[in-house]
Amino acid sequence: MTAQPTSNRTRSASFLHATLWIVFVVDITSAFTAQRPVSSSSSNRSNMPVYISLPKNLPNSKTPPTRTTNHHLQLSPSGIDTLPEIVQASVFVGSYGILGASTIVGVQTLDVASATLGLERWRKSFVEGYVPLLLGSLYGLAGVSHFGNAEAFTAIYPPVGTWGLWYLPGTAGFHVAWTGLVELFGGMGLLWGFGSRLLLDEEEDDDGLVGKLIQPLSALLLFVLTVAVTPANIYMFTHGATM
C-alpha cells in the first residue's frame, strides 16, 4: 500500500498550526507580564526605570515645541531588566528555546490527542480550512495597524544593546514598516487561499496557483515572521514594555 502524497494545503497547515501555537503562547505571556504603573510616591522609586517623553521638535527649530505626554514611573514586573546583561541574554536565548520546544510538544500533543479521540479529520479540516481565515484576518489587521498606529509597535521594539546582544541594523520605524508589509500581504495570501478553498474542489484547488504557491508561501512567510518578531514579545516580558 503506497502512502498518499502530502497536499500543498497540508504542508501549509503545518506552518499555520505552529504559527497559531506561537501566537497563543506569546500573547498569553505578554498579557500576564504587562507593565504596571507605579505611584511616583513610592519609597522605592529611585530604583525604578524612568521613561521620559521628549518633544518631537527641538528648541532651535522654526516650529514651536510640541506638548509632551507625562509618563508615570514604570516597573518591569519580571525585574529581569535589573539583572546583569549575561543573565538577560540567557533569558532571551532560553525564551526562544522554551518557545520552540513548547511549539513542537504542543503541536504533537494535539495531533496525538486528535487521533486518540477520533477528531483527527475534524482537526485537519479546521487547520486547513478555517485557520487561514483566522490568521489571515489577524495578520492582515495587524499589518494595517503597523502603519495606522506605528508608535505603539515602535514602543515595543528593543533598543540597541538590549540584553547585551541586540544590535540589529536599522531603525525601529524601518522594522515596524517592513514587518507590517509582510503581515499585510501574508494575511491577504491566507484569506485568498480560504476563498479559493470555498470556490474550488480540493484537487483543482491544490493544483492551482493559490494551492501550489500563494497559500504555502504565505504560511511560510508568516511563520518565519512570527519567529523573527518574537524578540518584541520577549522585550515586553523582560523590560515591561507596552504598546
Side-chain angles (χ1 to χ4, degrees):
M1 181 176 179
T2 59
Q4 294 295 324
T6 303
S7 69
N8 292 310
R9 286 195 178 274
T10 300
R11 297 188 186 94
S12 301
S14 62
F15 289 114
L16 295 177
H17 205 166
T19 301
L20 185 62
W21 178 267
I22 294 175
V23 170
F24 172 77
V25 172
V26 297
D27 283 353
I28 290 297
T29 303
S30 299
F32 280 98
T33 58
Q35 191 179 60
R36 297 188 293 269
V38 180
S39 173
S40 59
S41 62
S42 172
S43 59
N44 296 325
R45 64 180 181 274
S46 60
N47 296 325
M48 300 175 187
V50 179
Y51 297 84
I52 302 174
S53 174
L54 297 176
K56 294 182 179 179
N57 300 319
L58 297 176
N60 60 353
S61 63
K62 296 181 180 180
T63 56
T66 56
R67 182 173 61 85
T68 60
T69 302
N70 294 326
H71 287 253
H72 294 289
L73 292 174
Q74 303 287 334
L75 177 65
S76 171
S78 67
I80 294 174
D81 55 335
T82 64
L83 300 176
E85 285 188 343
I86 185 64
V87 178
Q88 295 186 38
S90 299
V91 171
F92 175 80
V93 175
S95 297
Y96 257 112
I98 293 173
L99 181 60
S102 66
T103 300
I104 294 173
V105 173
V107 171
Q108 290 182 345
T109 299
L110 289 175
D111 288 342
V112 173
S114 298
T116 302
L117 298 175
L119 301 176
E120 189 173 13
R121 183 176 180 181
W122 175 86
R123 185 198 61 79
K124 180 180 177 182
S125 175
F126 173 75
V127 173
E128 293 187 15
Y130 293 99
V131 168
L133 173 62
L134 175 64
L135 290 180
S137 301
L138 176 66
Y139 278 98
L141 291 174
V144 173
S145 298
H146 273 238
F147 299 95
N149 192 18
E151 290 184 359
F153 292 92
T154 302
I156 62 172
Y157 181 81
V160 173
T162 303
W163 310 297
L165 50 72
W166 187 258
Y167 295 97
L168 192 67
T171 64
F174 167 75
H175 291 291
V176 168
W178 78 258
T179 54
L181 286 174
V182 174
E183 289 181 345
L184 180 59
F185 286 108
M188 291 172 59
L190 293 185
L191 292 176
W192 190 359
F194 174 77
S196 175
R197 183 183 178 90
L198 294 179
L199 298 175
L200 303 175
D201 59 60
E202 184 174 350
E203 183 177 352
E204 182 181 2
D205 177 40
D206 194 56
D207 291 335
L209 177 64
V210 175
K212 292 180 65 175
L213 180 62
I214 294 178
Q215 179 156 323
L217 180 59
S218 298
L220 176 60
L221 281 177
L222 291 179
F223 171 74
V224 173
L225 177 71
T226 302
V227 175
V229 301
T230 295
N233 297 94
I234 298 177
Y235 180 59
M236 295 173 71
F237 167 62
T238 59
H239 289 68
T242 56
M243 299 181 70

